[in-house]
Amino acid sequence: MTITAQYNTNFRAVTYPVRLYSGEGALENLPAELKRNRATRAFIVCGRTVSRKTDLINHMRRILGDNCAGVYDEMDKDTSISTVTAAAAAAKAANADMLISVGSGSVTQGTRVVAILMAEKRPVDELITQYPEHGAAISPKLLEPKVPILNVLTAGTSAQNRAGSAVKDPNRNHRMEFFDPKTRPVAVFWDNEALMTAPLSLVKTTTISSVWRTTMNLGATRVAPLSEGDRLQAFRLSRYALEHLGDGTDVSARVAVCAAAFLQNRDADDGGMAAGKHWVERVVYAFATALFQMHVHVGQGEASAAISPTVLRKLGHRNPEAMALIAQGMGVWKEGDDISSAPEKAAAELERLFNNIGAPTRVSQLNIPRDTLPQICDNAMRNFNADPKREFIKERDYLLEVLEACW
């Protein structure tokens, strides 16, 4: 049996303007970006580690000179609503007309919410995705103009050139989700010095996330003609980064993760997601997001690695052709193999890859209490990216069984 993806001619492609600066001295282009966007008061948003344990923020302040309006360096891993609210207040007090995020996924997402809170006049509860008891989720339109954003990455992240953000509130049992296309960055920086500030542990979790995502994307049974090349190259780059993960001095591996995530997003913008996502991808993403949001010591990459093999085995049969394409892309399934064997072959190969770098392949390896699994499952029921039509809630009990099997 031959399995090939079919070209999909029914798609929507949107090109968003963004400039990308990569390599040695890339940050020297910061003043040019301020000038291009007619900004004079750039406000930096980052976490404590990069601000207080490296010279990166001081280096950026020297480059910006009098155009640096201030720094907020209290952003946390969870992207807490309290920190983004405080950052927005600080940026407004500084009369900021541009935001510069410095970090990886949490800071990048959080800075988008800072821009939203600076501009929108409505209460926060009216700005986030709504989940009616019955029916699809609703993402409110946020119409106020937003200040331009520059994203300086310290590690690769798919958040770098997107418009959605998730924020944690300890008083809620699910993420607060914001979406505004006007918060897409006007420029992204992959500066060598900035990327080398990230500890190897962070590089590891972002690389695992990239490998997982680009592998799952191979399962598209219908591909838009504009996006296929980006999808395949993103997969190759993530595998390259995984192979070179052990060399903490190799900036090319870190850039490869950045590039893989960037191409993954461009794949989506060029209509690559028009045919929809398969069940394994959606469920792993929802479970992993809920898990690392609840347990702050767990990285998103490790959460995805721990959940994926079992979900492949439990849910792969729902999208057999997608599983065959994934296994085929990983080099473990070929023409003539029984299509029903594809989920197991893909699961075994992912286990091999993750075991080789010491990543977990069972949830029990994440050092979390088993009795939190039902809450993780419940929190996964509210995830717009994974389940905008709210199909999961109808299968909550079975999905909990699947999560329990991941233990």
Side-chain angles (χ1 to χ4, degrees), residues 45-123:
V45 180
C46 63
R48 292 183 181 182
T49 300
V50 73
S51 174
R52 305 177 193 185
K53 295 187 177 181
T54 79
D55 189 51
L56 179 58
I57 301 303
N58 288 332
H59 176 54
M60 291 176 60
R61 296 189 79 150
R62 289 192 291 268
I63 293 173
L64 292 168
D66 293 340
N67 292 129
C68 182
V71 176
Y72 179 86
D73 66 356
E74 298 284 347
M75 292 295 286
D76 57 5
K77 174 182 176 292
D78 292 333
T79 323
S80 302
I81 186 62
S82 58
T83 60
V84 296
T85 301
K92 288 182 74 171
N95 294 317
D97 57 7
M98 171 177 278
L99 296 173
I100 305 178
S101 76
V102 183
S104 188
S106 297
V107 174
T108 307
Q109 288 192 66
T111 302
R112 288 198 281 269
V113 182
V114 170
I116 290 170
L117 297 183
M118 288 174 65
E120 298 291 338
K121 307 301 189 293
R122 290 178 285 166

Side-chain angles (χ1 to χ4, degrees), residues 100-215:
I100 305 178
S101 76
V102 183
S104 188
S106 297
V107 174
T108 307
Q109 288 192 66
T111 302
R112 288 198 281 269
V113 182
V114 170
I116 290 170
L117 297 183
M118 288 174 65
E120 298 291 338
K121 307 301 189 293
R122 290 178 285 166
V124 171
D125 280 346
E126 296 181 16
L127 307 178
I128 61 177
T129 301
Q130 309 294 314
Y131 287 90
E133 185 175 350
H134 303 287
I138 302 169
S139 183
K141 292 187 180 299
L142 310 180
L143 301 177
E144 296 294 333
K146 308 300 185 297
V147 298
I149 297 175
L150 309 181
N151 289 333
V152 176
L153 301 194
T154 58
T157 172
S158 61
Q160 63 182 294
N161 57 327
R162 303 307 288 171
S165 300
V167 172
K168 185 175 180 178
D169 182 349
N171 298 315
R172 303 171 192 254
N173 62 3
H174 62 91
R175 305 182 306 166
M176 303 171 69
E177 297 171 320
F178 296 80
F179 178 78
D180 187 345
K182 296 185 294 301
T183 61
R184 283 181 179 260
V186 296
V188 175
F189 293 79
W190 304 341
D191 179 84
N192 286 4
E193 180 182 343
L195 290 172
M196 292 307 296
T197 63
L200 196 55
S201 59
L202 176 58
V203 177
K204 180 178 179 179
T205 192
T206 57
T207 302
I208 294 171
S209 292
S210 180
V211 169
W212 174 81
R213 171 62 72 181
T214 58
T215 299

Side-chain angles (χ1 to χ4, degrees), residues 370-397:
R370 185 166 187 167
D371 60 11
T372 62
L373 295 184
Q375 187 62 60
I376 291 170
C377 183
D378 285 342
N379 292 356
M381 297 297 105
R382 293 174 179 243
N383 187 308
F384 186 84
N385 287 336
D387 188 33
K389 296 181 180 179
R390 308 216 63 198
E391 296 174 291
F392 290 176
I393 198 71
K394 302 172 186 176
E395 301 195 56
R396 187 266 178 193
D397 291 344

